[in-house]
């Protein structure tokens, strides 16, 4: 997310003084006691597979499987790891198996691109090494042909220190998901001093590497180990394939702790190459080719897929005729990383977040997807893309909620492309930005800016009829009273796409901002302050069809050929095992239907489902699959 100082300056600029049975399924194998972990190392499960299993980047015929061998190996000899994939949770119907060496140079991580799988199929898998077996994981390949329904979870900004991550445990319980999309800030470099919910060591000793910014590659890697010592995150990876892009905290090179430490004042402690290297080692992500084409580096022989250039993360997962899923990178080109991106696709002097190769890739890919009549284009996107600022014509200072406020030229170029004002004149409908970064809940039309779309006219603002996850968060957030449309007037025709940003998995939003302004404020007062802030933002940005900035959790995107439905699921981040609360449901339509009742439907607009007369009951998938066997974690 944007640096905390920016958010606080933003408030000031507004003058807001507000307010398991450890499934060490080891059977009769050698005892775990014969293995030893590095001293005081974060562990979630028995050695050596102490950080569980994970899968990701599924295609129709393959998926990445991940694990790590954790133990002390004085000789640093490679460790032979075998893997097996089956059609059933008991691993009786094996369809693929192989072996790979875990080595120190890759931080003992194992990544296999398992090939030859069937499309739209659930598989279970397990690793074995050193006489031990891992927990059993579940994954699912992408469809190659038509399916009735796809369901994706969406989350971002998952700070271990800020939340008990109940939401991760809850989404692990779902058996109808196709993919978990993480929009970045998967790990954090440092804890926020205003939201210290938990620490591994149970104290605030900032000399400890698990409670402060990392100093070197070893501590960077260890940060991932801390995250994967959490039972809820272990479960969420165990049960679903993930698709992850990074954001600023994942790849931050500099020392920037908010807690006082002996290392304050240090500048660069790690390199960009090290932060991105650790990402590829510890996430179940498939690297792409170094040529900037966004095409995957496909490894068919079971060996470790080594990135040609660790700094490239933008890529594409086809999900059949119903959806294409893209991951973009609008982080690595920011000035702090020291790269100079080619801005040749923009007018001279216009700054770029994408860089020319990526901009050309995403526009080419979106156009190809649209021309192939794929219904939905889902873009895994770090920072709020739709306007969340003050209109330039107002003369007021910028708010700086999203980095896109500083890149209006490139946002305009992408909106022009989607609108069909680009060189080929083809409009691209059905684009859904799923976003993170701002730690607030947002459902928005995507317009270039109010200055460019002056006739954009949604209805008046009303409070959300639903409550949040805590009693204080009554009528959580704001929606518009009507769609503003009639059967012969599309009042929001300037919208070229929709955006769905389901807050953060813990890192603080306006609640934390208000608290920062005055530590004495009660939580109820923090919520009241957040309501003021939300209404101010939504008033300035009528493209925001829903905004709520207190609750935290994850989202569900439920796709059919007719509509995309979005759910905001929240949990009390301060309470372990907090249940899911459904905070808002929104919908966007694949086709215009001016005669639909009770409300006309227009493409590229997002509305609360209540405005379309739809039932406000949680959705579920049209299929379910057997979960991977449960485990009892032993975090330490
Ligand atoms: Fe963040």
């Amino acid at each position: 997310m944007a640096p905390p100082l920016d958010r606080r300056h933003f408030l000031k600029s507004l003058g807001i003084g507000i307010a398991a049975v450890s499934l060490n399924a080891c059977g009769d194998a050698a005892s775990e006691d014969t293995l030893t972990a590095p001293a005081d190392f974060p562990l979630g499960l028995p050695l050596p597979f102490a950080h569980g299993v994970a899968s990701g980047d599924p295609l129709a015929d393959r998926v990445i499987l991940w694990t790590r061998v954790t133990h002390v190996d004085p000789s640093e000899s490679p460790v032979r790891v075998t893997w097996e994939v089956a059609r059933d949770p008991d691993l009786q119907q094996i369809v693929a198996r192989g072996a790979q060496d875990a080595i120190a140079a890759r931080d003992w991580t194992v990544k296999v691109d398992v090939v030859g799988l069937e499309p739209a199929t659930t598989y279970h898998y397990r690793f074995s090494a050193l006489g031990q077996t891992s927990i059993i994981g579940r994954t699912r390949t992408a469809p190659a042909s038509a399916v009735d329904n796809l369901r994706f979870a969406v989350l971002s900004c998952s700070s271990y220190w800020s939340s008990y991550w109940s939401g991760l445990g809850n989404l692990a319980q779902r058996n109808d998901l196709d993919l978990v999309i993480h929009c970045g800030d998967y790990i954090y470099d440092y804890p926020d001093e205003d939201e210290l919910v938990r620490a591994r060591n149970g104290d605030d000793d900032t000399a400890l590497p698990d409670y402060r910014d990392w100093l070197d590659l070893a501590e960077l890697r260890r940060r991932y180990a801390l995250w994967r010592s959490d039972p809820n995150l272990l479960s969420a990876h165990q049960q679903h394939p993930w698709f992850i892009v990074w954001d600023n905290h994942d790849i931050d090179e500099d020392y920037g702790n908010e807690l006082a430490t002996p290392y304050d004042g240090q500048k660069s402690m790690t390199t960009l190459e090290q932060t991105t290297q650790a990402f590829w080692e510890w996430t179940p992500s498939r690297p792409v080719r170094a040529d900037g084409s966004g095409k995957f580096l496909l490894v068919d022989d079971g060996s470790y897929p080594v990135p040609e250039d660790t700094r490239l993360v933008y890529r594409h997962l086809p999900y059949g005729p119903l959806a294409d899923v893209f991951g973009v990178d609008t982080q690595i080109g920011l000035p702090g990383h020291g790269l100079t991106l080619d801005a040749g696709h923009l007018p001279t002097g216009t700054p770029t977040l994408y860089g020319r190769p990526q901009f050309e890739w995403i526009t080419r890919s979106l156009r190809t997807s649209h021309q192939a009549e794929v219904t939905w284009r889902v873009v895994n996107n770090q920072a709020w893309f739709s306007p969340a600022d003050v209109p330039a014509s107002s003369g007021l200072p910028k708010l700086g909620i999203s980095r896109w406020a500083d890149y209006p030229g490139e946002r305009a170029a992408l909106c022009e492309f989607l609108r069909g004002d680009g060189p080929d004149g083809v409009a691209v409908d059905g684009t859904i930005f799923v976003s993170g970064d701002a730690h607030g809940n947002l459902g928005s039309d995507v317009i270039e800016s109010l200055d460019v779309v002056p006739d954009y006219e949604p209805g008046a603002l009303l409070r959300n009829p639903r409550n949040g996850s805590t009693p204080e968060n009554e009528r959580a957030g704001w929606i518009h009273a009507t769609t503003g449309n009639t059967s012969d007037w599309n009042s929001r025709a300037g919208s070229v796409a929709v955006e769905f940003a389901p807050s953060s998995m813990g890192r603080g939003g306006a609640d934390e901002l208000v608290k920062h302004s005055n530590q004495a404020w009660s939580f109820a007062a923090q919520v009241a302050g957040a309501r003021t802030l939300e209404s101010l933002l939504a008033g300035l940005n009528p493209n925001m069809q829903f905004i709520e900035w207190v609750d935290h959790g994850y989202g569900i995107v439920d796709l059919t050929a007719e509509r995309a439905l979005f759910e905001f699921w929240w949990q009390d981040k301060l309470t372990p095992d907090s249940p899911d609360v459904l905070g808002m449901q929104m919908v966007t339509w694949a086709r215009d239907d001016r005669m639909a009742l009770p409300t006309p439907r227009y493409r590229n607009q997002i509305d609360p489902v209540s405005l379309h007369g739809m039932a406000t009951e949680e959705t579920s998938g049209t299929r379910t699959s057997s979960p991977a066997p449960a485990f009892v974690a032993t975090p330490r």
Side-chain angles (χ1 to χ4, degrees), residues 4 105 119 232 264 376 457 461 533 575:
N232 289 322
D264 289 347
W376 302 107
E457 296 175 6
L461 283 176
L533 180 57
T575 305

Side-chain angles (χ1 to χ4, degrees), residues 1 157 185 188 437 439:
M1 123 157 235
C157 301
D185 289 350
Y188 272 78
D437 182 57
H439 308 179

Side-chain angles (χ1 to χ4, degrees), residues 280-300:
W280 290 110
E281 288 170 347
W282 275 82
T283 68
S285 308
R286 182 184 296 107
V288 291
R289 295 184 192 167
D291 60 7
S293 66
K295 292 181 178 169
F296 282 122
L297 191 66
L298 297 177
V299 176
D300 292 346

Side-chain angles (χ1 to χ4, degrees), residues 104-169:
R106 296 175 194 138
D107 198 25
W108 305 102
T109 59
V110 172
K111 285 174 78 170
V112 184
D113 205 351
V114 178
V115 299
L117 303 178
E118 296 295 319
T121 302
T122 296
Y123 292 96
H124 292 78
Y125 61 96
R126 180 172 65 182
F127 296 89
S128 304
L130 301 170
Q132 304 290 318
T133 54
S134 71
I135 60 171
I136 293 171
R138 176 181 65 179
T139 191
R140 185 168 175 83
T141 49
S145 55
V147 291
D148 296 338
N149 178 221
L150 287 170
R151 281 170 70 82
F152 305 142
V154 178
L155 71 146
S156 64
C157 301
S158 39
S159 171
Y160 175 95
W161 305 289
S162 301
S163 166
Y164 284 104
W165 283 350
S166 304
L168 287 166

